[in-house]
mmCIF file of all heavy atoms in Angstrom:
data_model
loop_
_atom_site.group_PDB
_atom_site.id
_atom_site.type_symbol
_atom_site.label_atom_id
_atom_site.label_comp_id
_atom_site.label_asym_id
_atom_site.label_seq_id
_atom_site.Cartn_x
_atom_site.Cartn_y
_atom_site.Cartn_z
ATOM 1 N N VAL V 253 -18.043 -36.969 30.570
ATOM 2 C CA VAL V 253 -16.532 -36.846 30.800
ATOM 3 C C VAL V 253 -16.092 -38.067 31.625
ATOM 4 O O VAL V 253 -16.700 -38.431 32.630
ATOM 5 C CB VAL V 253 -16.403 -35.537 31.633
ATOM 6 C CG1 VAL V 253 -15.023 -35.502 31.989
ATOM 7 C CG2 VAL V 253 -16.810 -34.361 30.846
ATOM 8 N N PHE V 254 -14.995 -38.631 31.045
ATOM 9 C CA PHE V 254 -14.376 -39.810 31.740
ATOM 10 C C PHE V 254 -13.004 -39.380 32.400
ATOM 11 O O PHE V 254 -12.372 -38.784 31.660
ATOM 12 C CB PHE V 254 -14.072 -40.837 30.693
ATOM 13 C CG PHE V 254 -15.265 -41.277 29.919
ATOM 14 C CD1 PHE V 254 -15.692 -40.599 28.693
ATOM 15 C CD2 PHE V 254 -16.136 -42.313 30.235
ATOM 16 C CE1 PHE V 254 -16.740 -40.907 27.867
ATOM 17 C CE2 PHE V 254 -17.294 -42.642 29.500
ATOM 18 C CZ PHE V 254 -17.574 -41.946 28.460
ATOM 19 N N VAL V 255 -12.813 -39.724 33.563
ATOM 20 C CA VAL V 255 -11.491 -39.619 34.177
ATOM 21 C C VAL V 255 -10.870 -40.761 34.821
ATOM 22 O O VAL V 255 -11.640 -41.604 35.411
ATOM 23 C CB VAL V 255 -11.774 -38.509 35.372
ATOM 24 C CG1 VAL V 255 -10.399 -38.080 36.003
ATOM 25 C CG2 VAL V 255 -12.375 -37.178 34.841
ATOM 26 N N ASN V 256 -9.533 -40.917 34.553
ATOM 27 C CA ASN V 256 -8.843 -42.020 35.305
ATOM 28 C C ASN V 256 -8.029 -41.222 36.363
ATOM 29 O O ASN V 256 -7.044 -40.461 36.053
ATOM 30 C CB ASN V 256 -7.936 -42.649 34.327
ATOM 31 C CG ASN V 256 -7.255 -43.844 34.938
ATOM 32 O OD1 ASN V 256 -7.209 -43.918 36.178
ATOM 33 N ND2 ASN V 256 -6.690 -44.773 34.361
ATOM 34 N N LEU V 257 -8.481 -41.384 37.553
ATOM 35 C CA LEU V 257 -7.872 -40.588 38.695
ATOM 36 C C LEU V 257 -6.908 -41.605 39.363
ATOM 37 O O LEU V 257 -7.222 -42.724 39.818
ATOM 38 C CB LEU V 257 -8.993 -40.231 39.628
ATOM 39 C CG LEU V 257 -8.589 -39.004 40.656
ATOM 40 C CD1 LEU V 257 -8.280 -37.792 39.822
ATOM 41 C CD2 LEU V 257 -9.862 -38.832 41.485
ATOM 42 N N GLN V 258 -5.614 -41.268 39.415
ATOM 43 C CA GLN V 258 -4.582 -42.121 40.153
ATOM 44 C C GLN V 258 -3.905 -41.221 41.197
ATOM 45 O O GLN V 258 -3.258 -40.244 40.900
ATOM 46 C CB GLN V 258 -3.589 -42.501 39.082
ATOM 47 C CG GLN V 258 -3.952 -43.389 37.933
ATOM 48 C CD GLN V 258 -4.582 -44.837 38.540
ATOM 49 O OE1 GLN V 258 -4.134 -45.300 39.516
ATOM 50 N NE2 GLN V 258 -5.551 -45.371 37.826
ATOM 51 N N GLY V 259 -4.085 -41.741 42.433
ATOM 52 C CA GLY V 259 -3.312 -41.029 43.565
ATOM 53 C C GLY V 259 -3.728 -39.683 43.665
ATOM 54 O O GLY V 259 -2.848 -38.730 43.864
ATOM 55 N N GLY V 260 -4.927 -39.336 43.389
ATOM 56 C CA GLY V 260 -5.418 -37.808 43.422
ATOM 57 C C GLY V 260 -5.136 -36.977 42.247
ATOM 58 O O GLY V 260 -5.348 -35.759 42.261
ATOM 59 N N ALA V 261 -4.595 -37.547 41.265
ATOM 60 C CA ALA V 261 -4.207 -36.779 40.097
ATOM 61 C C ALA V 261 -4.816 -37.465 38.852
ATOM 62 O O ALA V 261 -5.094 -38.621 38.838
ATOM 63 C CB ALA V 261 -2.720 -36.682 39.854
ATOM 64 N N ILE V 262 -5.200 -36.586 37.892
ATOM 65 C CA ILE V 262 -5.818 -36.924 36.580
ATOM 66 C C ILE V 262 -4.823 -37.557 35.758
ATOM 67 O O ILE V 262 -4.035 -36.828 35.091
ATOM 68 C CB ILE V 262 -6.557 -35.834 35.999
ATOM 69 C CG1 ILE V 262 -7.701 -35.214 37.025
ATOM 70 C CG2 ILE V 262 -7.275 -36.226 34.620
ATOM 71 C CD1 ILE V 262 -8.408 -33.914 36.585
ATOM 72 N N SER V 263 -4.733 -38.860 35.590
ATOM 73 C CA SER V 263 -3.773 -39.438 34.686
ATOM 74 C C SER V 263 -4.265 -39.434 33.285
ATOM 75 O O SER V 263 -3.469 -39.202 32.278
ATOM 76 C CB SER V 263 -3.334 -40.864 35.205
ATOM 77 O OG SER V 263 -4.445 -41.777 34.870
ATOM 78 N N GLU V 264 -5.626 -39.612 33.075
ATOM 79 C CA GLU V 264 -6.213 -39.582 31.766
ATOM 80 C C GLU V 264 -7.648 -38.957 31.850
ATOM 81 O O GLU V 264 -8.445 -39.153 32.943
ATOM 82 C CB GLU V 264 -6.387 -40.942 31.117
ATOM 83 C CG GLU V 264 -5.098 -41.580 30.655
ATOM 84 C CD GLU V 264 -5.254 -42.980 30.143
ATOM 85 O OE1 GLU V 264 -5.346 -43.961 30.993
ATOM 86 O OE2 GLU V 264 -5.447 -43.099 28.942
ATOM 87 N N ILE V 265 -8.058 -38.309 30.780
ATOM 88 C CA ILE V 265 -9.340 -37.702 30.760
ATOM 89 C C ILE V 265 -9.808 -37.594 29.252
ATOM 90 O O ILE V 265 -9.006 -37.299 28.349
ATOM 91 C CB ILE V 265 -9.280 -36.229 31.353
ATOM 92 C CG1 ILE V 265 -10.722 -35.619 31.278
ATOM 93 C CG2 ILE V 265 -8.227 -35.295 30.805
ATOM 94 C CD1 ILE V 265 -10.904 -34.371 32.192
ATOM 95 N N ALA V 266 -10.981 -37.851 29.108
ATOM 96 C CA ALA V 266 -11.581 -37.841 27.743
ATOM 97 C C ALA V 266 -13.159 -37.485 27.905
ATOM 98 O O ALA V 266 -13.662 -37.469 29.049
ATOM 99 C CB ALA V 266 -11.536 -39.321 27.148
ATOM 100 N N PHE V 267 -13.713 -37.204 26.701
ATOM 101 C CA PHE V 267 -15.215 -36.892 26.799
ATOM 102 C C PHE V 267 -15.727 -37.332 25.505
ATOM 103 O O PHE V 267 -15.044 -37.512 24.417
ATOM 104 C CB PHE V 267 -15.286 -35.434 26.898
ATOM 105 C CG PHE V 267 -15.279 -34.584 25.666
ATOM 106 C CD1 PHE V 267 -16.247 -34.104 25.021
ATOM 107 C CD2 PHE V 267 -13.870 -34.351 25.041
ATOM 108 C CE1 PHE V 267 -16.054 -33.384 23.720
ATOM 109 C CE2 PHE V 267 -13.737 -33.537 23.803
ATOM 110 C CZ PHE V 267 -14.853 -33.174 23.188
ATOM 111 N N GLN V 268 -17.159 -37.543 25.529
ATOM 112 C CA GLN V 268 -17.873 -37.717 24.230
ATOM 113 C C GLN V 268 -19.250 -37.134 24.348
ATOM 114 O O GLN V 268 -19.717 -37.092 25.521
ATOM 115 C CB GLN V 268 -17.751 -39.113 23.871
ATOM 116 C CG GLN V 268 -18.568 -40.102 24.631
ATOM 117 C CD GLN V 268 -18.517 -41.532 24.059
ATOM 118 O OE1 GLN V 268 -17.714 -41.804 23.190
ATOM 119 N NE2 GLN V 268 -19.390 -42.410 24.530
ATOM 120 N N GLY V 269 -19.844 -36.879 23.291
ATOM 121 C CA GLY V 269 -21.186 -36.296 23.319
ATOM 122 C C GLY V 269 -21.421 -35.390 22.244
ATOM 123 O O GLY V 269 -20.660 -35.396 21.268
ATOM 124 N N ALA V 270 -22.553 -34.696 22.254
ATOM 125 C CA ALA V 270 -22.756 -33.841 21.238
ATOM 126 C C ALA V 270 -23.150 -32.472 21.685
ATOM 127 O O ALA V 270 -23.945 -32.318 22.768
ATOM 128 C CB ALA V 270 -23.841 -34.330 20.348
ATOM 129 N N GLY V 271 -22.970 -31.347 20.957
ATOM 130 C CA GLY V 271 -23.489 -30.056 21.392
ATOM 131 C C GLY V 271 -22.935 -28.956 20.452
ATOM 132 O O GLY V 271 -22.431 -29.327 19.404
ATOM 133 N N CYS V 272 -22.978 -27.748 20.784
ATOM 134 C CA CYS V 272 -22.491 -26.625 19.984
ATOM 135 C C CYS V 272 -21.166 -26.520 19.968
ATOM 136 O O CYS V 272 -20.289 -27.159 20.676
ATOM 137 C CB CYS V 272 -23.246 -25.376 20.460
ATOM 138 S SG CYS V 272 -22.651 -24.830 22.072
ATOM 139 N N ALA V 273 -20.745 -25.594 19.108
ATOM 140 C CA ALA V 273 -19.175 -25.406 18.881
ATOM 141 C C ALA V 273 -18.556 -24.914 20.153
ATOM 142 O O ALA V 273 -17.407 -25.481 20.586
ATOM 143 C CB ALA V 273 -18.981 -24.265 17.824
ATOM 144 N N ILE V 274 -19.213 -24.042 20.886
ATOM 145 C CA ILE V 274 -18.502 -23.518 22.305
ATOM 146 C C ILE V 274 -18.512 -24.705 23.150
ATOM 147 O O ILE V 274 -17.400 -24.858 23.853
ATOM 148 C CB ILE V 274 -19.535 -22.462 22.786
ATOM 149 C CG1 ILE V 274 -19.718 -21.309 21.807
ATOM 150 C CG2 ILE V 274 -19.000 -21.922 23.998
ATOM 151 C CD1 ILE V 274 -18.408 -20.575 21.232
ATOM 152 N N SER V 275 -19.483 -25.387 23.365
ATOM 153 C CA SER V 275 -19.425 -26.557 24.365
ATOM 154 C C SER V 275 -18.506 -27.672 23.914
ATOM 155 O O SER V 275 -17.712 -28.168 24.778
ATOM 156 C CB SER V 275 -20.825 -27.199 24.612
ATOM 157 O OG SER V 275 -21.369 -27.820 23.420
ATOM 158 N N LYS V 276 -18.396 -27.873 22.729
ATOM 159 C CA LYS V 276 -17.500 -28.922 22.329
ATOM 160 C C LYS V 276 -16.004 -28.524 22.449
ATOM 161 O O LYS V 276 -15.128 -29.157 22.905
ATOM 162 C CB LYS V 276 -17.811 -29.490 20.945
ATOM 163 C CG LYS V 276 -17.053 -30.713 20.374
ATOM 164 C CD LYS V 276 -17.611 -31.342 19.261
ATOM 165 C CE LYS V 276 -18.733 -32.369 19.487
ATOM 166 N NZ LYS V 276 -19.199 -33.089 18.308
ATOM 167 N N ALA V 277 -15.812 -27.303 21.956
ATOM 168 C CA ALA V 277 -14.396 -26.733 22.034
ATOM 169 C C ALA V 277 -13.865 -26.748 23.494
ATOM 170 O O ALA V 277 -12.836 -26.872 23.848
ATOM 171 C CB ALA V 277 -14.195 -25.429 21.313
ATOM 172 N N SER V 278 -14.854 -26.318 24.337
ATOM 173 C CA SER V 278 -14.571 -26.194 25.714
ATOM 174 C C SER V 278 -14.195 -27.463 26.400
ATOM 175 O O SER V 278 -13.196 -27.524 27.103
ATOM 176 C CB SER V 278 -15.719 -25.413 26.377
ATOM 177 O OG SER V 278 -15.457 -25.502 27.873
ATOM 178 N N ALA V 279 -14.870 -28.460 25.990
ATOM 179 C CA ALA V 279 -14.668 -29.803 26.539
ATOM 180 C C ALA V 279 -13.238 -30.301 25.982
ATOM 181 O O ALA V 279 -12.572 -30.804 26.887
ATOM 182 C CB ALA V 279 -15.799 -30.726 26.085
ATOM 183 N N SER V 280 -13.061 -30.131 24.697
ATOM 184 C CA SER V 280 -11.829 -30.603 24.081
ATOM 185 C C SER V 280 -10.551 -29.902 24.925
ATOM 186 O O SER V 280 -9.693 -30.532 25.187
ATOM 187 C CB SER V 280 -11.885 -30.148 22.664
ATOM 188 O OG SER V 280 -10.581 -30.431 22.098
ATOM 189 N N MET V 281 -10.676 -28.583 25.028
ATOM 190 C CA MET V 281 -9.492 -27.762 25.635
ATOM 191 C C MET V 281 -9.419 -28.110 27.105
ATOM 192 O O MET V 281 -8.357 -28.051 27.716
ATOM 193 C CB MET V 281 -9.679 -26.353 25.245
ATOM 194 C CG MET V 281 -9.521 -26.080 23.778
ATOM 195 S SD MET V 281 -9.712 -24.482 23.183
ATOM 196 C CE MET V 281 -8.200 -23.709 23.930
ATOM 197 N N MET V 282 -10.543 -28.326 27.632
ATOM 198 C CA MET V 282 -10.559 -28.730 29.149
ATOM 199 C C MET V 282 -9.792 -30.013 29.366
ATOM 200 O O MET V 282 -8.991 -30.074 30.227
ATOM 201 C CB MET V 282 -12.011 -28.870 29.627
ATOM 202 C CG MET V 282 -11.996 -29.461 31.115
ATOM 203 S SD MET V 282 -13.687 -29.880 31.602
ATOM 204 C CE MET V 282 -13.880 -31.439 30.837
ATOM 205 N N THR V 283 -9.956 -30.957 28.355
ATOM 206 C CA THR V 283 -9.212 -32.179 28.647
ATOM 207 C C THR V 283 -7.787 -31.960 28.604
ATOM 208 O O THR V 283 -6.968 -32.623 29.171
ATOM 209 C CB THR V 283 -9.681 -33.285 27.699
ATOM 210 O OG1 THR V 283 -9.534 -32.946 26.334
ATOM 211 C CG2 THR V 283 -11.179 -33.678 27.973
ATOM 212 N N GLN V 284 -7.510 -31.161 27.536
ATOM 213 C CA GLN V 284 -6.001 -30.881 27.528
ATOM 214 C C GLN V 284 -5.391 -30.225 28.623
ATOM 215 O O GLN V 284 -4.297 -30.468 29.075
ATOM 216 C CB GLN V 284 -5.706 -30.022 26.150
ATOM 217 C CG GLN V 284 -5.921 -30.694 24.851
ATOM 218 C CD GLN V 284 -5.507 -29.853 23.701
ATOM 219 O OE1 GLN V 284 -5.948 -28.675 23.648
ATOM 220 N NE2 GLN V 284 -4.898 -30.413 22.645
ATOM 221 N N SER V 285 -6.110 -29.319 29.214
ATOM 222 C CA SER V 285 -5.563 -28.449 30.355
ATOM 223 C C SER V 285 -5.623 -29.343 31.688
ATOM 224 O O SER V 285 -4.761 -28.900 32.633
ATOM 225 C CB SER V 285 -6.567 -27.237 30.577
ATOM 226 O OG SER V 285 -6.706 -26.515 29.394
ATOM 227 N N LEU V 286 -6.380 -30.299 31.806
ATOM 228 C CA LEU V 286 -6.439 -30.948 32.969
ATOM 229 C C LEU V 286 -5.584 -32.227 33.118
ATOM 230 O O LEU V 286 -5.370 -32.829 34.263
ATOM 231 C CB LEU V 286 -7.856 -31.390 33.368
ATOM 232 C CG LEU V 286 -8.878 -30.186 33.563
ATOM 233 C CD1 LEU V 286 -10.220 -30.745 33.896
ATOM 234 C CD2 LEU V 286 -8.298 -29.333 34.749
ATOM 235 N N LYS V 287 -4.996 -32.597 32.094
ATOM 236 C CA LYS V 287 -4.208 -33.952 32.132
ATOM 237 C C LYS V 287 -2.952 -33.677 33.080
ATOM 238 O O LYS V 287 -2.329 -32.721 32.960
ATOM 239 C CB LYS V 287 -3.688 -34.342 30.757
ATOM 240 C CG LYS V 287 -3.633 -35.828 30.507
ATOM 241 C CD LYS V 287 -3.483 -36.156 29.083
ATOM 242 C CE LYS V 287 -3.720 -37.626 28.898
ATOM 243 N NZ LYS V 287 -3.647 -37.965 27.425
ATOM 244 N N GLY V 288 -2.859 -34.548 34.087
ATOM 245 C CA GLY V 288 -1.793 -34.424 35.049
ATOM 246 C C GLY V 288 -2.066 -33.498 36.228
ATOM 247 O O GLY V 288 -1.224 -33.481 37.180
ATOM 248 N N LYS V 289 -3.203 -32.920 36.166
ATOM 249 C CA LYS V 289 -3.454 -31.883 37.394
ATOM 250 C C LYS V 289 -4.064 -32.797 38.527
ATOM 251 O O LYS V 289 -4.778 -33.856 38.360
ATOM 252 C CB LYS V 289 -4.487 -30.911 36.939
ATOM 253 C CG LYS V 289 -4.134 -29.920 35.815
ATOM 254 C CD LYS V 289 -3.256 -28.794 36.491
ATOM 255 C CE LYS V 289 -3.108 -27.659 35.505
ATOM 256 N NZ LYS V 289 -2.297 -27.924 34.288
ATOM 257 N N SER V 290 -3.896 -32.197 39.773
ATOM 258 C CA SER V 290 -4.495 -32.853 40.812
ATOM 259 C C SER V 290 -5.964 -32.401 40.857
ATOM 260 O O SER V 290 -6.339 -31.499 40.206
ATOM 261 C CB SER V 290 -3.848 -32.428 42.178
ATOM 262 O OG SER V 290 -4.153 -31.007 42.406
ATOM 263 N N LYS V 291 -6.769 -33.152 41.683
ATOM 264 C CA LYS V 291 -8.129 -32.758 41.872
ATOM 265 C C LYS V 291 -8.411 -31.363 42.279
ATOM 266 O O LYS V 291 -9.151 -30.604 41.778
ATOM 267 C CB LYS V 291 -8.937 -33.643 43.117
ATOM 268 C CG LYS V 291 -9.453 -34.914 42.475
ATOM 269 C CD LYS V 291 -9.884 -35.801 43.703
ATOM 270 C CE LYS V 291 -11.202 -35.439 44.340
ATOM 271 N NZ LYS V 291 -11.711 -36.611 45.176
ATOM 272 N N GLU V 292 -7.500 -30.909 43.230
ATOM 273 C CA GLU V 292 -7.724 -29.516 43.884
ATOM 274 C C GLU V 292 -7.324 -28.582 42.673
ATOM 275 O O GLU V 292 -7.995 -27.487 42.494
ATOM 276 C CB GLU V 292 -6.792 -29.301 45.034
ATOM 277 C CG GLU V 292 -7.096 -30.259 46.292
ATOM 278 C CD GLU V 292 -6.808 -31.562 46.142
ATOM 279 O OE1 GLU V 292 -5.984 -32.024 45.278
ATOM 280 O OE2 GLU V 292 -7.525 -32.341 46.786
#
Side-chain angles (χ1 to χ4, degrees):
Chain V
V253 174
F254 306 92
V255 181
N256 183 346
L257 204 59
Q258 295 296 332
I262 297 169
S263 73
E264 284 178 281
I265 178 166
F267 81 103
Q268 69 178 15
C272 65
I274 304 299
S275 63
K276 191 169 268 181
S278 172
S280 171
M281 294 178 72
M282 173 188 79
T283 60
Q284 287 188 317
S285 303
L286 291 180
K287 216 166 191 176
K289 295 274 194 301
S290 71
K291 268 170 83 167
E292 294 71 25

